[in-house]
Amino acid sequence: MTRKKILVTGGSGFVGSHLCDRLLQEGHEVFCLDNFFTGQKQNIVHLLSNPYFELIRHDVTEPFFIEADEIYNLACPASPVHYQYNAIKTMKTSVMGAINMLGLAKRIKAKILQASTSEVYGDPKVHPQAEDYWGHVNPIGERSCYDEGKRSAETLFVNYHKQNQVKIKIIRIFNTYGPRMHPNDGRVVSNFIVQALQNKDITVYGEGDQTRSFQYVDDLVEGMIRMMASPDSFTGPVNIGNPNEFTIRELAERVIALTGSRSKIIKLPLPSDDPMMRQPDISLAKKELDWSPKTQLDEGLMKTIEYFRSVI
Ligand code: NAD
Ligand code: UDP
């Protein structure tokens, strides 16, 4: 095989670090770019002695030049707590980050994949969500810096492709969990597991009737690799997620059962614009990428629980 040079932005984050592992295992050379806003050195420390791995501290809102064959653009905080901390910066990261990475891809003729999100569907009125649904997003709400930033990034990708023939790939990632999420990440799976392991109250927001479909990180990485390797004519967007849908209350109960915790479930106010339901239609990924998720919730939760036991 030929050893490719691959740039991963957001490479020290939760998903990015798993992607770096996989690309190195496949024999490629990996440039991991990160500003360490939500990423952790801990996630990639085991890679630092690998001569085919290079860590670059850089912010994607600033231009960056390197020679690479492929770019995976993951840089962006993904947890509502962190992306709302500095909403303007979040939008800059998505929009200016996309412009800078697309400009680089155009100049060096690299193929570029964008980590988009199910959040482009907002609080969906169509269920499950297929790629041809345009979404229901509040442009001025708490979540809009993330949702609209990612939507703008998709627009930029599509237009760099049309105007400048850049080879693009867009995946829409649905809620993903697994080892290396930050204990203070703030997303639901890590929150519940950390709370359960410490026998603290499990914080369900609202009544817990809202649903999400949870994907284990290894399945996502497989989907990303397959998407990058697919024919140039297939640009996406394509949903990558696990269609098994659970209420947040069910998730809390599973986590309590699997950890054997003494935690109790408490209810806290539901954040504004919190989507009521979310489930991917993955027909397109099955057809074009021959991809479907392999790890179901209990198995994935057990691996994630083991990880959090070792770090907290
Ligand atoms: P994460 O917060 O763990 O990782 C994001 C990484 O990007 C971090 O390492 C962070 O330091 C880095 N980063 C943030 N802003 C940056 C900037 N301006 N310049 C350089 N680096 C920057 O989140 P994650 O779950 O690993 O998500 C990775 C990508 O996948 C994100 O783009 C996210 O929007 C997307 N995504 C994730 C999920 C999910 O459920 N995990 C769902 C949909 C989309
Ligand atoms: N949530 C919750 N308790 C928490 C964290 C999140 O009940 O401690 C809920 C949140 O309100 C949302 C769902 O879990 O309905 C998923 O939240 P997360 O932040 O993980 O992702 P997103 O809302 O972006 O899908």
Side-chain angles (χ1 to χ4, degrees):
M1 63 152 274
T2 39
R3 188 187 297 282
K4 288 186 198 149
K5 293 184 191 318
I6 303 180
L7 173 64
V8 178
T9 79
S12 71
F14 156 53
V15 175
S17 63
H18 287 278
L19 178 63
C20 289
D21 279 350
R22 172 74 187 266
L23 294 170
L24 286 164
Q25 275 161 23
E26 293 193 352
H28 300 300
E29 183 165 358
V30 173
F31 310 117
C32 167
L33 179 157
D34 209 293
N35 72 348
F36 290 98
F37 174 46
T38 52
Q40 309 179 74
K41 271 257 173 78
Q42 191 58 41
N43 289 344
I44 41 119
V45 75
H46 60 288
L47 302 177
L48 292 175
S49 59
N50 185 329
Y52 293 105
F53 180 80
E54 232 173 286
L55 177 61
I56 304 145
R57 185 181 286 265
H58 184 83
D59 194 305
V60 287
T61 59
E62 303 289 341
F64 179 72
F65 300 103
I66 201 165
E67 287 298 327
D69 304 298
E70 293 176 352
I71 304 169
Y72 288 84
N73 188 36
L74 275 62
C76 186
S79 163
V81 183
H82 297 294
Y83 71 62
Q84 289 168 19
Y85 171 75
N86 185 342
I88 297 170
K89 177 67 196 251
T90 297
M91 191 127 189
K92 279 189 185 170
T93 294
S94 274
V95 175
M96 294 165 67
I99 292 171
N100 287 328
M101 290 306 124
L102 284 161
L104 175 64
K106 177 183 165 189
R107 174 172 166 166
I108 64 176
K109 297 194 169 26
K111 207 190 305 186
I112 180 167
L113 178 145
Q114 168 67 358
S116 189
T117 167
S118 55
E119 286 287 319
V120 300
Y121 303 122
D123 188 5
K125 300 291 164 210
V126 168
H127 197 72
Q129 295 80 52
E131 291 83 354
D132 58 3
Y133 177 50
W134 291 356
H136 179 241
V137 174
N138 176 358
I140 55 169
E142 293 292 319
R143 300 173 80 98
S144 59
C145 60
Y146 184 74
D147 301 6
E148 299 289 18
K150 290 282 186 179
R151 287 169 69 98
S152 303
E154 286 198 11
T155 309
L156 284 160
F157 267 69
V158 165
N159 286 301
Y160 267 77
H161 175 65
K162 282 189 197 154
Q163 277 176 239
N164 297 318
Q165 293 74 50
V166 174
K167 291 177 186 166
I168 63 148
K169 303 276 174 189
I170 300 171
I171 59 167
R172 291 183 178 154
I173 305 169
F174 283 65
N175 297 64
T176 304
Y177 68 95
R180 301 193 194 147
M181 293 184 89
H182 195 289
N184 298 325
D185 178 274
R187 280 176 279 182
V188 68
V189 175
S190 47
N191 271 9
F192 285 4
I193 292 177
V194 170
Q195 290 162 348
L197 290 177
Q198 298 176 334
N199 294 306
K200 291 185 177 159
D201 291 341
I202 307 271
T203 55
V204 166
Y205 301 159
E207 293 301 311
D209 295 331
Q210 70 272 37
T211 69
R212 295 291 186 274
S213 306
F214 297 102
Q215 159 172 251
Y216 188 65
V217 64
D218 290 356
D219 286 326
L220 168 59
V221 169
E222 179 64 30
M224 293 176 124
I225 302 270
R226 286 183 186 225
M227 181 57 173
M228 189 60 109
S230 66
D232 290 348
S233 56
F234 183 59
T235 60
V238 61
N239 290 337
I240 302 288
N242 188 322
N244 282 346
E245 187 182 12
F246 298 87
T247 66
I248 295 304
R249 201 181 320 104
E250 283 169 338
L251 176 71
E253 285 160 2
R254 287 314 304 149
V255 169
I256 291 173
L258 293 172
T259 51
S261 172
R262 295 191 303 278
S263 294
K264 288 191 209 43
I265 295 176
I266 59 159
K267 290 180 190 166
L268 294 182
L270 186 69
S272 63
D273 297 339
D274 200 281
M276 263 317 289
M277 55 192 177
R278 190 180 288 155
Q279 184 190 33
D281 178 332
I282 57 165
S283 315
L284 187 65
K286 280 184 178 158
K287 177 169 165 269
E288 296 292 338
L289 308 177
D290 189 24
W291 174 91
S292 56
K294 300 283 175 276
T295 306
Q296 297 312 337
L297 190 66
D298 278 10
E299 187 191 346
L301 283 179
M302 282 313 296
K303 290 183 183 170
T304 313
I305 289 165
E306 254 169 63
Y307 168 77
F308 278 111
R309 268 194 221 281
S310 72
V311 294
I312 59 172

